[in-house]
Amino acid sequence: MTGSIPTSTSNNPEPPEPSSATEPQSVQHETSAHVLDTTSVKTCDIESQSVTESNLSSATFDEETGVQLALNRIKKALRLRGTYRPRNKIRAVDSYQRGYSTLAAIEDSDPNFLIYRKFGWLRNRLLLDLQDELVTLEQKLQLLDDNDARLCDPEDVLISCRNDKLQKTVRQELLTTIRRKLLEYDEVLLHLQQIQAIRRPTTRNQASLFRIMWNNKLLVHEEMEWISRREDLAALARDSEHGWFNGFVEDTLHAISHTMITFIFRDPYRRKKAGKMNITLLSPKRFEIFMRTIFVILTTILFLVPVFLLLKLQPEYVEEVRHKQKLQLVTVLTFTLIFSTACSIFTKAKRQEIFMATGAYCAVLVVFLGNTQDVLASGRKNY
């Protein structure tokens, strides 16, 4: 029979204490567990960082995509604008029927051809006729007042307009007629003043329009006579800033080379506008740039040349003062006259503007005469 199992624990031996051989194993397990926890945390951090970076990259990509889409839309709009830009349709003057239609097209192609009759004699004749009618009505009114003063009570009509209007006298009908005639007279008078203020065309523009009509036989001879009435012509073009100098330069360029001036100063619009007709239409913008360039050069010459001469004529010794001072004064006088003449002839400056500009120019040149007094004061002599 086998032995019985003990029921009491008092007699059991105590469990053995952990030995030194088992301690490193438990420490090793704890260290490995800590390493696993640290690795898992780092893995989570890396995953979260990768998610954040992916979100940022996706946001940046979305932003770049939005900018690119906006740029593409702008480029598309610009391409559409360039594609659907309307082309200017230019009708040449020779495409119109020969006659008044062609003449109207020529006058519309260049402002210098806007030349018409003023009909000054007709306007003055009509104004004189209206003036005489008003004089007659004025005399009738005065005679009516004299008769009413002699035959009627002055309290009724002469010193009271209200009583006169209530009685509907002949005077009121006469005043109504006078009022209507005065309005007509004032209208003609003011229009005549405005039309008389319009300047006459230059002889060059008048001759150019006449040659075009004559060479192309646009009108019959009887209906072309109006262009010969220079005193009664009105030029509607804006007055040029440089006056007759523009025409002088253009005529000079034509005399030098007609081909050159046509090639340089005609833009594609006016080249198509002229068509096959023998007329020269110049671009006002190009010609204005050329004229401004000429004036810049002339102004530079008028300022720098006298300065250079006055510097060369500066005396160094007392013996040179008398001779060179005379030359300096002649130089200042000559260039001041040239400057004032250029301002009055080549520009549309007013008299007071020319006077002020000439004074300022002369004052600048006179500054260079101050060295003469310095030489005299120093008493420097040439031994």
Side-chain angles (χ1 to χ4, degrees):
M1 208 173 144
T2 59
S4 62
I5 300 174
T7 56
S8 176
T9 58
S10 60
N11 296 326
N12 290 337
E14 293 181 1
E17 294 181 1
S19 61
S20 60
T22 60
E23 286 180 0
Q25 185 175 3
S26 62
V27 171
Q28 183 178 2
H29 286 300
E30 290 178 0
T31 305
S32 62
H34 179 69
V35 170
L36 289 175
D37 293 339
T38 306
T39 304
S40 62
V41 170
K42 290 183 178 180
T43 304
C44 293
D45 292 340
I46 293 172
E47 291 179 354
S48 61
Q49 184 177 1
S50 62
V51 171
T52 305
E53 291 179 353
S54 64
N55 292 333
L56 291 175
S57 62
S58 62
T60 306
F61 178 76
D62 293 339
E63 184 178 357
E64 292 179 353
T65 305
V67 173
Q68 189 66 29
L69 289 174
L71 292 175
N72 291 334
R73 290 178 181 177
I74 294 174
K75 291 179 180 179
K76 186 176 180 181
L78 293 176
R79 285 197 299 270
L80 288 176
R81 182 182 298 176
T83 304
Y84 293 99
R85 182 182 299 173
R87 295 182 178 180
N88 295 325
K89 294 183 179 180
I90 303 173
R91 184 175 179 179
V93 295
D94 57 353
S95 64
Y96 293 86
Q97 295 297 326
R98 187 170 63 91
Y100 278 98
S101 297
T102 305
L103 180 59
I106 291 172
E107 291 183 339
D108 184 59
S109 62
D110 195 325
N112 292 323
F113 293 148
L114 295 177
I115 301 174
Y116 300 96
R117 286 277 306 273
K118 292 181 181 180
F119 295 103
W121 181 84
L122 282 179
R123 295 178 185 278
N124 284 282
R125 183 66 180 84
L126 178 60
L127 194 62
L128 289 171
D129 184 71
L130 290 174
Q131 177 181 273
D132 185 69
E133 289 184 9
L134 285 171
V135 169
T136 304
L137 293 174
E138 182 183 18
Q139 292 175 356
K140 288 183 179 180
L141 182 59
Q142 291 177 354
L143 183 60
L144 183 61
D145 289 342
D146 294 340
N147 292 334
D148 288 343
R150 186 174 62 254
L151 301 176
C152 302
D153 186 5
E155 296 289 339
D156 294 335
V157 291
L158 293 181
I159 64 175
S160 177
C161 289
R162 297 178 183 178
N163 294 335
D164 192 25
K165 291 179 180 179
L166 290 175
Q167 296 179 12
K168 296 181 181 180
T169 59
V170 180
R171 182 180 291 100
Q172 291 301 316
E173 298 178 359
L174 184 59
L175 287 174
T176 303
T177 305
I178 292 175
R179 184 183 301 110
R180 184 173 64 252
K181 285 294 179 180
L182 270 177
L183 292 175
E184 187 177 355
Y185 178 83
D186 292 343
E187 182 180 2
V188 177
L189 183 66
L190 294 176
H191 284 175
L192 179 61
Q193 181 189 23
Q194 295 175 358
I195 291 174
Q196 289 299 324
I198 302 176
R199 65 180 183 89
R200 297 187 184 94
T202 61
T203 305
R204 182 175 177 276
N205 292 336
Q206 180 189 2
S208 299
L209 185 59
F210 175 77
R211 284 195 299 266
I212 291 174
M213 292 191 296
W214 180 265
N215 295 334
N216 296 279
K217 301 185 184 310
L218 299 180
L219 304 178
V220 296
H221 181 70
E222 291 79 8
E223 298 184 17
M224 287 176 53
E225 292 182 353
W226 64 269
I227 194 64
S228 302
R229 298 177 178 268
R230 175 171 174 74
E231 298 299 324
D232 195 48
L233 294 179
L236 304 184
R238 181 175 60 88
D239 197 6
S240 177
E241 181 182 356
H242 308 302
W244 63 270
F245 191 65
N246 281 27
F248 172 76
V249 172
E250 187 176 345
D251 291 338
T252 304
L253 293 176
H254 273 292
I256 295 173
S257 175
H258 179 74
T259 306
M260 180 188 67
I261 191 175
T262 303
F263 177 76
I264 297 176
F265 296 105
R266 285 180 68 179
D267 53 10
Y269 169 78
R270 284 166 178 80
R271 189 175 293 109
K272 295 179 181 178
K273 189 70 176 177
K276 298 180 180 179
M277 186 170 288
N278 188 19
I279 58 175
T280 303
L281 300 177
L282 303 182
S283 173
K285 183 178 179 180
R286 294 185 180 184
F287 196 74
E288 183 66 21
I289 293 174
F290 180 74
M291 292 301 302
R292 290 183 181 274
T293 304
I294 292 178
F295 270 86
V296 168
I297 295 174
L298 291 178
T299 305
T300 305
I301 292 174
L302 285 176
F303 274 95
L304 294 184
V305 171
V307 170
F308 176 77
L309 293 177
L310 290 174
L311 288 176
K312 285 292 184 180
L313 294 173
Q314 289 292 329
E316 297 181 0
Y317 305 102
V318 177
E319 293 81 1
E320 299 176 349
V321 169
R322 179 176 297 179
H323 176 65
K324 289 190 174 182
Q325 190 176 25
K326 292 180 180 179
L327 295 178
Q328 286 179 335
L329 292 175
V330 171
T331 302
V332 172
L333 176 63
T334 303
F335 279 93
T336 303
L337 288 175
I338 294 174
F339 179 81
S340 60
T341 304
C343 289
S344 60
I345 294 178
F346 298 151
T347 65
K348 295 294 182 180
K350 298 179 181 180
R351 295 177 182 177
Q352 61 269 22
E353 295 173 348
I354 296 175
F355 181 79
M356 294 174 61
T358 304
Y361 180 80
C362 184
V364 172
L365 298 183
V366 168
V367 172
F368 292 90
L369 301 178
N371 190 35
T372 303
Q373 302 298 328
D374 297 337
V375 173
L376 292 175
S378 63
R380 185 180 179 185
K381 296 182 179 181
N382 186 13
Y383 296 101

